[in-house]
Amino acid sequence: MKTVWLFHNNIAAAEKDAETQILVKRFDKKNIRCMVYQPKNFDIITSRKSHKSIRYQGDKIDLPDAVLVRTGAGTNYFTLALLRQLENFDIPTINNSQSILHSRDKMISSQILARAKLPTPRTMLVSHPVNIDIVEQEIGFPCVVKLVTGSQGKGVYLCKDKDTFINFMDLTDNLKSKKTLIIQEFINSGELFDLRVWVIGGKTVTAMKRIPPQGDFKANISRGGLGERFELTDEIKDLASKTAQAFDLEITGVDLLFNGEKYLVCEANSSPGFEGIDRYCGTDMGELIVNYVRKRL
């Protein structure tokens, strides 16, 4: 029997997490053993011998045939190091450490998208003190302020005008832990929404229109946004598949924005949630994910 490790940030939470349990059951139906592990419980030993290089809670452990990474925004240095260790022994990691590292950093993401000549919102990386005049010239207002890493709409703020932006920068400048920030053009076609487009194995499989709750501009389903199935056009398919290719992501949720004339790529997610898209679009993403991983064994 083939074995797949599923990485989750919290073992106790994984037992109650609907998406994790769906994946475990889908693997079981395919006669594939799925073991859920928490990366921080591993020990990594640099060794040329694979059976000596990794321990789990202090014990030797048989290595898997593949790893499915579902750590999302909780992916940290240790998780990436563990993935690299497994990749050194030619174990497929879905997604791989490099693609996860690149997609979780919003500035690296913007640079990759620009290099691939894909349309994106105008983006700046700034540190304190922020030059307000340059932000106004290059980005304009309103603008979106983001932390360099984050997901599910956390660490994302809309500054509706210059005064709001100045006040927000004054606040962040006075925090003890000053952070490097992303300033991004606010894309608005008159109707606030975005698209979450799933790509698996290079193929665009479905799209969901996400509508933010009243009074918010963030359309994340996990934050109360609503969803509905959205027809895949050639433009959407092309943008999503090229984005996945640019990041080398085998499974991804690509977020697209619409400016009234064309779609722009906002970001690519290496561990997209699928409970919302299954609910609103009638898909079975767990089945599609497991079928793809099965092909990689």
Side-chain angles (χ1 to χ4, degrees):
M1 180 182 286
K2 297 287 187 179
T3 300
V4 170
W5 286 358
L6 190 156
F7 284 172
H8 193 283
N9 286 321
N10 187 305
I11 288 296
E15 294 176 356
K16 301 177 182 178
D17 178 59
E19 294 182 359
T20 300
Q21 295 308 311
I22 286 171
L23 290 167
V24 170
K25 290 176 182 176
R26 294 292 190 277
F27 276 118
D28 184 61
K29 286 184 177 180
K30 307 290 183 186
N31 199 32
I32 298 169
R33 181 185 296 111
C34 179
M35 311 294 292
V36 181
Y37 288 123
Q38 191 168 347
K40 75 172 189 176
N41 291 334
F42 283 89
D43 295 302
I44 305 171
I45 305 99
T46 54
S47 170
R48 289 177 295 176
K49 297 180 179 179
S50 61
H51 67 282
K52 292 183 178 180
S53 70
I54 293 176
R55 291 174 180 259
Y56 189 72
Q57 295 181 329
D59 297 326
K60 291 181 180 179
I61 187 169
D62 292 330
L63 296 183
D65 297 288
V67 176
L68 178 60
V69 186
R70 298 287 298 170
T71 48
T75 304
N76 54 26
Y77 178 87
F78 191 91
T79 301
L80 294 172
L82 176 59
L83 291 175
R84 286 192 294 270
Q85 186 86 340
L86 293 163
E87 289 161 4
N88 284 342
F89 299 112
D90 297 321
I91 295 171
T93 56
I94 306 164
N95 289 294
N96 68 69
S97 58
Q98 189 82 333
S99 67
I100 294 172
L101 174 65
H102 288 169
S103 61
R104 72 188 296 269
D105 185 302
K106 297 186 189 307
M107 191 60 195
I108 294 177
S109 293
S110 294
Q111 292 168 327
I112 287 174
L113 292 167
R115 186 173 61 199
K117 295 183 172 26
L118 293 169
T120 62
R122 294 191 304 275
T123 302
M124 283 182 64
L125 180 70
V126 300
S127 60
H128 291 284
V130 176
N131 189 316
I132 306 296
D133 291 336
I134 292 180
V135 172
E136 185 172 27
Q137 292 168 17
E138 298 297 330
I139 304 298
F141 301 105
C143 68
V144 179
V145 182
K146 300 180 178 182
L147 299 180
V148 174
T149 59
S151 69
Q152 296 182 330
K154 298 175 182 176
V156 180
Y157 306 91
L158 174 64
C159 293
K160 295 183 179 181
D161 51 42
K162 186 175 181 178
D163 288 341
T164 304
F165 180 76
I166 291 171
N167 290 334
F168 187 64
M169 289 302 104
D170 287 342
L171 173 65
T172 57
D173 192 27
N174 284 297
L175 294 175
K176 291 182 179 179
S177 178
K178 296 179 181 178
K179 293 181 179 292
T180 300
L181 298 171
I182 299 289
I183 313 295
Q184 198 166 72
E185 172 189 11
F186 178 57
I187 303 298
N188 183 8
S189 65
E191 178 190 1
L192 282 178
F193 74 94
D194 69 10
L195 299 183
R196 166 59 60 86
V197 187
W198 272 72
V199 182
I200 299 180
K203 181 182 178 182
T204 305
V205 294
T206 193
M208 174 174 63
K209 180 179 181 180
R210 303 190 302 182
I211 305 161
Q214 187 70 30
D216 200 353
F217 78 103
K218 291 172 281 191
N220 306 74
I221 300 298
S222 60
R223 297 177 64 90
L226 299 176
E228 60 184 57
R229 192 179 189 92
F230 199 84
E231 183 180 354
L232 286 171
T233 64
D234 289 340
E235 179 188 9
I236 292 170
K237 290 178 184 178
D238 185 60
L239 269 182
S241 62
K242 285 181 177 177
T243 299
Q245 183 179 23
F247 286 100
D248 192 29
L249 287 165
E250 297 179 69
I251 297 174
T252 181
V254 177
D255 292 343
L256 301 182
L257 306 172
F258 187 63
N259 68 1
E261 296 180 357
K262 64 180 181 179
Y263 289 99
L264 297 89
V265 181
C266 180
E267 62 185 7
N269 300 272
S270 66
S271 181
F274 56 84
E275 189 174 3
I277 203 162
D278 281 356
R279 183 193 325 148
Y280 288 111
C281 299
T283 52
D284 187 347
M285 300 310 299
E287 181 75 8
L288 295 178
I289 291 169
V290 168
N291 284 340
Y292 178 75
V293 174
R294 185 184 184 189
K295 293 178 183 177
R296 297 281 275 113
L297 296 176

